Amino acid sequence: MAPPWCVCRALLPALAIALLGLTAAAGPRQTPALELAQELAEELWSAGLPGDLPELEPECRSLLAAFAESSAALTGCLGRRARPVRLCQGCHGHYRRLLAQYGSIARAVGNSSESHNCAKSILTSDRLQIVVTLSEFFNETWEAANCANCLKNSSEGLSNSTEEFLDLFNKSLTCFEHNLQGQATDLSPNNYTEVCKNCNETYTKLNDLYNHLQRMNRRGGESAHSAHLCIDVEDAMNITRKLWSRTFNCSLPCSDTVPVIAVSSFILFLPIVFYLSSFLHSKQKKRILILPKRIQSNANLVNIQEKYS
């Protein structure tokens, strides 16, 4: 519930308008009473009721307006670059400006000694805390996208590896489009032999670079975030792989064919070698066990012959 002084101050304009309306409608017979009412209204206006609502200092208003503009610009950038995902490469400048504006609000203090602290007035003066909520939303979105893995350490631009990947990605899409246009009149829609043959080298380089970036990222290569690559790179690779394998039905030749065949053959022959060695070993052992029995039987036979001779 609002305090009484606030209610009175809110009713002052209505009271003044009502008094002026009565003056116009009453006529000369009620002049003394209306004059008294007008004097009372003037006294209320000039009373300077205590507890006037504080307003933001000019510096704080400027900081809040700048943060609002940065928030609107970043929101628009994220929305426009949602599909295909190009958040990190297109919105990192807006995000840096938003962080700078929020930092200015958190550090700023009014010019005069009686002015309110801008951080307190803007960030924590109400339950909803809109500025804090917006800032947390943008930070969580940026961290979930892992944009730090696409950018340089200072976040001023894309890293060299990201630019190399995007360059190969654009070359792959250009190759797909060029070969599709070339075979559109000669081949059936489901036959993409030319695409697979002519774009195999570019796609292989792109796929190898992506796998290399993943390995480097797990080792903590260019950034401290090791869960995923940034969403721009992941989305670009997903798009390319779907086109290559599902749409064009292409496949990459295995470069490790000889080692794979050698290892598979070795594993395949292991049971044969095992059983063969077991058989030979058991047969030799059987011979060793039988040999003394034969000698013993021959000796007994000699003794019997000598006994009856």
Side-chain angles (χ1 to χ4, degrees):
M1 179 181 295
W5 60 264
C6 188
V7 176
C8 294
R9 185 167 181 82
L11 292 176
L12 285 178
L15 178 61
I17 294 174
L19 292 175
L20 291 176
L22 289 175
T23 304
R29 289 179 297 177
Q30 298 181 356
T31 301
L34 292 176
E35 288 180 353
L36 181 61
Q38 290 176 359
E39 291 178 0
L40 178 61
E42 291 176 358
E43 290 178 0
L44 289 174
W45 277 107
S46 60
L49 295 176
D52 289 347
L53 290 176
E55 294 184 0
L56 288 176
E57 293 294 322
E59 180 187 356
C60 300
R61 284 199 301 271
S62 299
L63 292 173
L64 182 59
F67 179 84
E69 292 177 0
S70 299
S71 300
L74 181 56
T75 302
C77 183
L78 295 177
R80 289 189 299 270
R81 296 175 180 269
R83 290 303 308 164
V85 183
R86 300 293 184 269
L87 306 183
C88 304
Q89 52 188 304
C91 303
H92 63 89
H94 295 292
Y95 181 68
R96 288 178 58 233
R97 283 188 288 273
L98 181 79
L99 291 180
Q101 296 296 341
Y102 186 84
S104 298
I105 292 175
R107 295 189 303 268
V109 179
N111 292 327
S112 63
S113 59
E114 298 179 356
S115 63
H116 295 271
N117 187 308
C118 290
K120 183 177 179 180
S121 301
I122 297 175
L123 302 180
T124 60
S125 60
D126 58 83
R127 176 177 60 85
L128 196 56
Q129 299 180 5
I130 289 292
V131 174
V132 176
T133 303
L134 287 174
S135 178
E136 290 177 351
F137 165 75
F138 289 124
N139 289 334
E140 290 173 1
T141 302
W142 200 255
E143 291 175 3
N146 281 316
C147 288
N149 286 326
C150 283
L151 305 175
K152 298 177 181 178
N153 292 331
S154 57
S155 298
E156 295 179 354
L158 298 176
S159 63
N160 295 332
S161 58
T162 303
E163 290 182 348
E164 182 182 0
F165 175 85
L166 294 176
D167 181 61
L168 282 174
F169 170 69
N170 292 328
K171 288 181 179 178
S172 298
L173 295 185
T174 303
C175 183
F176 294 162
E177 183 180 3
H178 176 74
N179 285 275
L180 284 175
Q181 292 175 353
Q183 72 175 24
T185 57
D186 301 330
L187 300 175
S188 61
N190 295 326
N191 190 354
Y192 299 106
T193 308
E194 293 298 320
V195 176
C196 300
K197 182 176 67 175
N198 297 333
C199 302
N200 178 72
E201 182 180 357
T202 306
Y203 177 78
T204 302
K205 290 181 180 179
L206 179 69
N207 191 66
D208 291 344
L209 178 59
Y210 181 80
N211 293 333
H212 173 71
L213 292 177
Q214 279 188 319
R215 290 192 297 269
M216 292 296 295
N217 188 54
R218 294 190 187 102
R219 297 172 187 171
E222 293 189 355
S223 66
H225 303 273
S226 59
H228 298 280
L229 295 174
C230 74
I231 190 62
D232 293 24
V233 172
E234 288 183 345
D235 186 69
M237 195 67 223
N238 288 337
I239 291 174
T240 312
R241 284 176 172 172
K242 287 179 181 178
L243 289 173
W244 182 259
S245 59
R246 296 183 184 179
T247 304
F248 305 140
N249 198 23
C250 302
S251 60
L252 283 178
C254 184
S255 58
D256 300 328
T257 304
V258 175
V260 169
I261 293 177
V263 173
S264 302
S265 302
F266 176 75
I267 295 175
L268 208 65
F269 279 102
L270 272 180
I272 300 175
V273 174
F274 172 76
Y275 284 113
L276 183 61
S277 61
S278 299
F279 174 75
L280 295 175
H281 180 70
S282 62
K283 189 174 181 180
Q284 184 179 3
K285 189 174 182 181
K286 186 176 181 181
R287 285 181 179 180
I288 294 173
L289 291 173
I290 293 175
L291 184 60
K293 290 183 179 181
R294 290 179 179 177
I295 295 174
Q296 185 178 1
S297 61
N298 292 333
N300 292 335
L301 181 60
V302 171
N303 292 333
I304 293 172
Q305 288 178 354
E306 290 178 353
K307 184 176 180 181
Y308 289 98
S309 61

